[in-house]
Amino acid sequence: MATTTSLLSAAARRCPRSAASSIVRREVTSFHDLTIDGCAASRKSLKLDCTESQAFEAAGHSWRILFVPRGSLWTRGYMSLYLELLTNGGAAHLDDDPVEFKFTLLGKDGCPVPKLSRSREACFFGRWSPSWWNFNGFPNFVKWKDLEESGCLKDDCITIRCDIKVSRDYIETVDDGTAAPARVVVPPSDLHEHLGSLLLREHGKINVTIDAGGGATYGAHGSMLAARSPVFAAELAGATKKSGSGGVRDHIMIKVEGIEPRVMKAMLHFIYTDTLPPEIAAEQEEEAVAMARGLLAAAARYKLERLKLMCEDMLCERIGVDTVAGTLAVARQHGCHVLAAMCMEFIARPGNLKAVTQAQEFHKIKATCPGLFIELLMKKLA
């Protein structure tokens, strides 16, 4: 058995006697070219189509580009482009590292066209980005009219170059003039991606089918539903029945009333990944508000508190004359006190109350929410 002295001596030989360190800021740059075909069809599309590029590696991370040909409610006539972070690629924490990126249209000769370029500087992806979304971009990237006049269209195709620059602080340690020793870099958790693949690809044992009405059914794992939602846990326990042969039924059907299929699909995405589907942010304003309200009600019903708060935050950012009455009614119904307070503060601003009471949505809900109608009327008389 080695003595204490010999062990200490061995440890001393392995540890450097002196060391120096420095913090070095480095920039990692990459670019990716995306070709978009069928621009004439996209230009004339009657609905919002959010198309995702294939994932690509750039600046040590995995990304993809979201292309929305018709923009949003406020940017009609424009195409929208967004950059989405998919994984941290084994780096430390991209949440803390500023990212610069630029979208540039390429001419027919393959060269960038500077006047058709938009850039973002010192933006963040992850926990410091708005509403925890892992993407950023330009809802009004370029007008279709300007694109058609630019000469960049070639055989109904355009090519967009995405330049990405990530700035990171590296700690370099030198021991007695020698190269810094290797160290283990622990990548951030990608558990949500693995769990999301269970839902997307239906890996593992799918033992629950959720019928959301209208012919929409979704397969899920009962253990995942039960672990995330106490309401699902109770429903699954109650739905477990004995078969005629005395065995336990190994597949359960749950029929859900009052939740739209698209809302159910988004809620399942959250249950598996703890995130919102990225396409929600690319929806037109009216559709995004409707989705957020539906998800908030579903989250309250199934006791998904984090999802409820995320939806409340989405609605706080989308309060307007045409939406505030309905959002206030939803907030009061589900106990969202911060959202309700922000709605009332918006209504109390000079000139807003009259406009709100004349909005189409207000007349739709005043019959079903008389208390809200009386409250706003009293504010008007005050």
Side-chain angles (χ1 to χ4, degrees), residues 18-24 170-176 180:
S18 62
S21 65
S22 60
I23 298 176
V24 181
Y170 293 83
I171 300 177
E172 295 186 347
T173 303
V174 179
D175 173 27
D176 293 330

Side-chain angles (χ1 to χ4, degrees), residues 176-350:
D176 293 330
T178 62
R183 70 182 185 90
V184 175
V185 178
V186 180
S189 171
D190 57 357
L191 176 63
H192 65 287
E193 296 176 13
H194 292 289
L195 295 179
S197 69
L198 287 178
L199 177 66
L200 184 63
R201 299 179 176 86
E202 295 192 351
H203 288 166
K205 186 177 181 181
I206 299 292
N207 61 345
V208 176
T209 297
I210 298 176
D211 182 358
T217 58
Y218 304 99
H221 304 77
S223 56
M224 177 65 75
L225 298 179
R228 297 283 278 160
S229 166
V231 177
F232 268 129
E235 289 186 4
L236 290 170
T240 302
K241 299 178 180 178
K242 298 288 184 178
S243 65
S245 60
V248 177
R249 180 181 296 177
D250 60 0
H251 198 96
I252 297 173
M253 171 72 76
I254 296 179
K255 187 172 181 62
V256 176
E257 302 286 352
I259 296 181
E260 295 182 17
R262 66 179 190 137
V263 173
M264 176 57 68
K265 183 178 179 181
M267 185 173 75
L268 287 174
H269 179 94
F270 171 83
I271 286 175
Y272 278 77
T273 68
D274 214 36
T275 64
L276 291 172
E279 58 268 20
I280 291 180
E283 289 183 339
Q284 295 185 16
E285 192 76 5
E286 184 178 351
E287 294 173 347
V289 169
M291 173 63 85
R293 290 177 184 172
L295 267 177
L296 192 152
R301 175 172 168 180
Y302 286 95
K303 299 190 183 303
L304 300 168
E305 293 303 320
R306 174 173 160 77
L307 177 59
K308 181 180 174 183
L309 290 172
M310 293 170 73
C311 294
E312 187 175 357
D313 180 56
M314 286 178 60
L315 290 171
C316 283
E317 296 179 354
R318 290 169 169 80
I319 294 175
V321 169
D322 295 325
T323 62
V324 67
T327 297
L328 178 58
V330 171
R332 290 289 175 81
Q333 181 181 358
H334 299 292
C336 301
H337 304 297
V338 174
L339 179 58
M342 290 192 66
C343 288
M344 293 304 295
E345 187 274 334
F346 176 86
I347 292 170
R349 295 176 191 172

Side-chain angles (χ1 to χ4, degrees), residues 15-16 29 74 94 105 108 127 136 153 183 226 261 304 326 338:
C15 296
T29 61
W74 311 112
L94 187 56
L105 276 167
K108 293 181 180 179
R127 66 185 177 210
N136 205 319
L153 279 167
R183 70 182 185 90
L304 300 168
V338 174

Side-chain angles (χ1 to χ4, degrees), residues 86-114:
L86 296 180
T87 69
N88 284 0
H93 295 288
L94 187 56
D95 291 327
D96 301 324
D97 299 328
V99 178
E100 297 179 27
F101 69 94
K102 178 172 64 175
F103 289 124
T104 307
L105 276 167
L106 303 185
K108 293 181 180 179
D109 57 359
C111 297
V113 180

